[in-house]
Amino acid sequence: MTTLRRLVVLRHAKSARPPGVADAERPLAERGLRDAPAAGRWLRDAGCVPDLVVCSTAVRARETWDLAAGELPSGPAVRHDPRLYGADAEDLLAVVRETPDEVATLLLVGHNPALEEFVLLLASEGLGDTLQRVEEKFPTSAIAVLTQQTSWPEAAPGGSLLTDVAVPRGTEG
């Protein structure tokens, strides 16, 4: 019997656009600095603490994960993968298929439009209005949770159930 696998997809928090800064080097904006910890609290409270995180090498993605991870009870293993920056949905699927068997919950931290397209590629169906919500918009700090009955190397289009979608927001302090 195959273990239930959970894939959590987190879009980086809102980034700044400072003049003269390369896209991959853009930091989080003030709102992103508030929202990223809220994403971590959501992951903790929803019981979606990952065993492994694969994070884009872009500054805004790394900062998002660092702030989110600060809200978790323990720090999972993190792999910074340059393939997530500029990836498409098929590239993301290839990364997921490389996940070690002992990982039950995998979290990807990356960018749109790839993350939105990836969630829609994998999900054959969704609970409630989850699919519709992702189709409408997958904003910064959005989280999608998918489950699959197959091993990671067997992850395939249409092989997952979209169980939850959230857009955690921090409060101004």
Side-chain angles (χ1 to χ4, degrees), residues 61-86:
R62 291 188 326 232
E63 288 181 346
T64 297
W65 174 246
D66 289 346
L67 290 168
E71 301 295 325
L72 302 179
S74 61
V78 179
R79 195 173 81 218
H80 293 96
D81 192 326
R83 295 177 294 173
L84 271 65
Y85 180 76

Side-chain angles (χ1 to χ4, degrees), residues 83-121:
R83 295 177 294 173
L84 271 65
Y85 180 76
D88 63 21
E90 291 293 333
D91 296 331
L92 295 174
L93 182 56
V95 169
V96 166
R97 287 178 173 159
E98 296 170 3
T99 303
D101 190 53
E102 64 271 10
V103 173
T105 300
L106 172 66
L107 186 139
L108 297 182
V109 183
H111 312 270
N112 251 7
L115 290 182
E116 179 179 330
E117 293 166 357
F118 180 59
V119 169
L120 296 173
L121 174 72

Side-chain angles (χ1 to χ4, degrees), residues 7-52:
L7 174 62
V8 182
V9 177
L10 169 60
R11 183 175 175 199
H12 66 77
K14 182 73 174 172
S15 61
R17 296 187 178 270
V21 174
D23 184 72
E25 301 302 316
R26 289 177 26 222
L28 291 180
E30 188 174 317
R31 188 177 96 200
L33 293 170
R34 291 191 308 265
D35 292 349
R41 289 188 294 275
W42 188 93
L43 292 169
R44 180 194 66 217
D45 295 347
C48 289
V49 176
D51 301 309
L52 174 65

Side-chain angles (χ1 to χ4, degrees), residues 6-7 48 125-128 130 144-147 161-165:
R6 185 169 45 186
L7 174 62
C48 289
E125 56 185 307
L127 298 181
T130 54
V145 181
L146 300 115
T147 59
L161 171 67
L162 182 59
T163 61
D164 210 342
V165 175

